Amino acid sequence: MMSKLYNAPVQVELNSQQRPVRLRWYNKWYAITCCTPREEDQHWWSKLRNPEPLRYRCECEEGMICDLYFSDPPGVWILERIFD
């Protein structure tokens, strides 16, 4: 599976478990149907020192598959990549 790297801030709505349920990309809202934490994407060395943010693999109703993470600071959600 190929992907394109964006690393762009996006608006995200969360459910009661604090997982993404909708994201806004280029002024369009995408409903997220499946959101899975991706802990295996973290490098082992970053877990020892400065933990990387937890990434989520999200599938949207519109067919988009992407990776999101919460960057703190500055306290924003980042659309890391979109898969083809």
Side-chain angles (χ1 to χ4, degrees):
M1 185 172 359
M2 301 275 299
S3 68
K4 184 168 181 181
L5 190 64
Y6 286 97
N7 282 325
V10 290
Q11 231 179 317
V12 173
E13 289 183 0
L14 306 174
N15 63 13
S16 59
Q17 291 83 34
Q18 300 303 301
R19 289 215 180 156
V21 291
R22 269 186 4 144
L23 71 95
R24 188 175 180 191
W25 174 244
Y26 281 111
N27 294 320
K28 180 179 178 186
W29 283 101
Y30 293 87
I32 297 171
T33 56
C34 181
C35 184
T36 309
R38 306 279 301 176
E39 292 181 19
E40 66 274 6
D41 289 343
Q42 293 180 319
H43 300 287
W44 66 268
W45 47 263
S46 80
K47 293 178 184 177
L48 300 175
R49 290 201 143 157
N50 298 320
E52 294 179 21
L54 178 61
R55 284 166 171 74
Y56 293 93
R57 175 74 41 90
C58 298
E59 296 178 26
C60 301
E61 282 181 353
E62 295 79 1
M64 180 172 71
I65 300 173
C66 63
D67 283 351
L68 295 173
Y69 68 90
F70 186 74
S71 180
D72 190 29
V76 296
W77 281 91
I78 302 294
L79 175 67
E80 183 176 38
R81 65 184 67 241
I82 295 176
F83 294 88
D84 293 338

